[in-house]
Amino acid sequence: MKAEIITVGTEILTGQIVNTNAQFLSEKMAELGIDVYFQTAVGDNKERLLSVIDIATRRSDLVVLCGGLGPTEDDLTKQTLASYLGRELVLDRQASQKLDDFFASREQFVRTPNNERQAQLIQGSIPLPNKTGLAVGGMITVADVTYVVLPGPPGELKPMVNTELVPLLSNKHAKLYSKVLRFFDIGESQLATLIADFIDKQVDPTIAPYAKTGEVTLRLSTKAQNKEEADKKLLQLEEELLATKTPEGKLLRNFLYGYGEENSLPQVVFELLKKNNLTITAAESLTAGLFQASLADFSGASQIFKGGFVTYSLEDKAQMLSISLDGLKEHGVVSAYTAEQMASQARCLMGTDIAIGLTGVAGPNSLENQLVGTVYIGLATKNKVETQKVLIGHRSRADVRYIATLHAFNMVRKTLLKAENLL
């Protein structure tokens, strides 16, 4: 089914309000498996609205109009659509009674004849009751085209769509189901190149890559009659995608860290630490406590995070972490040695199972002949200490710090998936 959304209101065209209704309606249509091909905004003008309705009727199966259901003369959506369809406007009894009750309970308001407009329906329409307002909505099908009229205020439109319209439409169409795969340590262009054949040949399910700061997500979507059918199709595509290999021979599944729109790398690590009853600490330089703050964002953080260190200067690192100052001066603040020492000493001082050491160049200038975006991450357990050098590139200070933190969490994640490192 092809759908079209027409938003009515001069205030949208003049920029006085933002058209959030179109976004909300498009999301709802997608969930129902209905394809929205066009969105149009039109002012409070009968002739222009008539022309837009006529165009929509010729190219769409479902035409959704929102706004213009109020009591004033410029609220003309139902009147214009009725004229286009050659139908009369009739009074909806339930909506009319709601008007009576509203004015009866509010003596300061006077009911005027034009309030009747809010209770009118196009003859033959299915009424869509308004739980939070006075203007009734409606749905009518004429010559194989379905028309829906909805109020403009989001506080009225959204409840009406969720409780009244969605149930009417959901039984007629396959719904859209989606699954989000989250990847780290692989760029969007590299990922898109690896799965180019899948993208080129996609029909259903579909694949949509999205780049975020420091990571990439893939949204797999399919239309199905039920969740069981959708899960089967999405799982099959996921397994095929994850079996793809990089030029170096790595499987794409090695870069997958989690699922879901709201999931995050710090959250995945936090849950793994809790599951394994392990504790963690950190000593941070360029990230200034961002790693530790990310852990503290989650409820129950005290179960796995005892505290940590933020140390910038060599002297502070030596004093707070009991690291040899001569050794730090010899190797430099931005070095694998310093990252290892920070992690190892932090773990010993805090008595945790795991510790992270973060040092590097956040910018905007280079440091110790190291380029902006150069980061060393140390990870210590009771059995080993290892480091990773990451070249993030010349980004903003905020991005360098954030991406460095993600790399540190990814090191912890990989370590937790190899339990022998902690035995």
Side-chain angles (χ1 to χ4, degrees):
M1 172 174 267
K2 296 181 293 184
E4 184 157 347
I5 297 168
I6 300 173
T7 310
V8 184
T10 302
E11 64 274 17
I12 294 172
L13 298 178
T14 58
Q16 292 175 277
I17 64 171
V18 177
N19 187 8
T20 58
N21 286 338
Q23 178 189 15
F24 171 77
L25 289 168
S26 290
E27 290 175 345
K28 286 297 174 182
M29 294 300 116
E31 291 173 7
L32 292 168
I34 300 171
D35 299 313
V36 175
Y37 282 1
F38 303 97
Q39 291 183 8
T40 304
V42 62
D44 301 307
N45 178 281
K46 182 177 180 180
E47 296 306 317
R48 287 195 286 271
L49 180 53
L50 275 172
S51 69
V52 169
I53 292 172
D54 185 56
I55 293 170
T57 298
R58 296 171 187 274
R59 66 188 182 187
S60 301
D61 307 304
L62 173 65
V63 180
V64 182
L65 300 99
C66 56
L69 305 191
T72 62
E73 290 301 319
D74 62 349
D75 292 311
L76 42 73
T77 300
K78 280 186 286 192
Q79 290 75 10
T80 305
L81 181 58
S83 174
Y84 179 79
L85 296 176
R87 300 277 179 124
E88 297 292 328
L89 286 170
V90 296
L91 206 62
D92 178 66
R93 290 184 179 180
Q94 183 178 349
S96 181
Q97 184 62 52
K98 189 170 185 179
L99 280 172
D100 292 339
D101 296 341
F102 175 84
F103 285 101
S105 63
R106 292 165 176 81
E107 295 181 358
Q108 70 272 30
F109 295 112
V110 178
R111 181 168 178 171
T112 57
N114 60 358
N115 284 121
E116 298 295 327
R117 297 164 67 97
Q118 295 173 281
Q120 290 178 332
L121 273 177
I122 298 172
Q123 189 176 33
S125 293
I126 298 172
L128 303 176
N130 192 333
K131 305 293 185 183
T132 55
L134 298 175
V136 65
M139 184 172 79
I140 184 171
T141 300
V142 178
D144 296 326
V145 178
T146 299
Y147 302 87
V148 176
V149 291
L150 301 168
E156 297 180 28
L157 178 142
K158 290 181 179 180
M160 185 180 291
V161 170
N162 288 330
T163 62
E164 306 296 336
L165 181 60
V166 166
L168 289 174
L169 295 176
S170 61
N171 294 330
K172 298 181 179 181
H173 311 283
K175 293 183 180 180
L176 184 72
Y177 295 87
S178 295
K179 187 175 189 178
V180 175
L181 282 59
R182 304 181 74 98
F183 297 87
F184 183 76
D185 206 19
I186 185 170
E188 181 188 22
S189 59
Q190 183 183 3
L191 179 57
T193 300
L194 287 177
I195 63 173
D197 287 344
F198 290 94
I199 294 176
D200 291 341
K201 298 174 183 177
Q202 65 178 324
V203 178
D204 179 59
T206 60
I207 308 167
Y210 298 94
K212 299 185 177 183
T213 302
E215 64 174 290
V216 186
T217 63
L218 287 180
R219 178 183 290 276
L220 313 184
S221 302
T222 186
K223 292 179 180 179
Q225 295 297 327
N226 54 62
K227 188 175 184 300
E228 182 179 0
E229 177 188 340
D231 287 344
K232 183 177 180 180
K233 292 162 69 177
L234 294 175
L235 180 60
Q236 180 179 345
L237 176 59
E238 177 188 346
E239 290 300 320
E240 293 174 1
L241 288 169
L242 296 182
T244 305
K245 290 185 178 181
T246 69
E248 298 76 26
K250 289 185 179 180
L251 292 173
L252 185 56
R253 72 172 62 253
N254 293 333
F255 301 95
L256 177 74
Y257 78 79
Y259 299 88
E261 197 69 65
E262 302 301 325
N263 208 351
S264 69
L265 194 45
Q267 185 175 6
V268 168
V269 171
F270 177 80
E271 296 298 335
L272 283 172
L273 288 165
K274 280 184 62 178
K275 179 182 177 181
N276 290 282
N277 196 28
L278 297 171
T279 56
I280 192 169
T281 187
E284 301 179 64
S285 184
L286 85 155
T287 47
L290 184 58
F291 182 91
Q292 298 167 68
S294 299
L295 289 171
D297 281 341
F298 306 111
S299 176
S302 59
Q303 298 175 42
I304 57 98
F305 176 56
K306 296 184 176 184
F309 308 85
V310 176
T311 60
Y312 262 87
S313 70
L314 289 177
E315 290 74 18
D316 287 338
K317 289 177 174 62
Q319 181 178 357
M320 295 176 67
L321 296 169
S322 299
I323 303 173
S324 165
L325 182 57
D326 290 338
L328 290 172
K329 288 181 177 179
E330 178 184 351
H331 292 90
V333 67
V334 185
S335 65
Y337 170 86
T338 299
E340 284 186 3
Q341 289 296 310
M342 290 172 69
S344 181
Q345 290 301 103
R347 195 189 77 82
C348 291
L349 291 169
M350 295 302 299
T352 58
D353 299 299
I354 306 172
I356 282 290
L358 275 156
T359 184
V361 188
N365 302 314
S366 60
L367 178 66
E368 297 178 348
N369 295 320
Q370 301 267 25
L371 296 175
V372 172
T374 302
V375 176
Y376 288 92
I377 306 170
L379 187 148
T381 67
K382 66 180 181 180
N383 287 338
K384 64 185 295 187
V385 181
E386 59 183 317
T387 58
Q388 177 183 354
K389 181 179 180 180
V390 181
L391 300 176
I392 295 171
H394 204 295
R395 294 173 175 252
S396 68
R397 282 180 60 84
D399 281 355
V400 170
R401 295 172 64 240
Y402 177 70
I403 296 171
T405 300
L406 291 183
H407 276 283
F409 276 110
N410 200 45
M411 281 187 72
V412 177
R413 182 184 69 87
K414 290 181 176 180
T415 298
L416 292 174
L417 295 177
K418 299 176 181 178
E420 67 272 12
N421 288 332
L422 303 176
L423 299 178

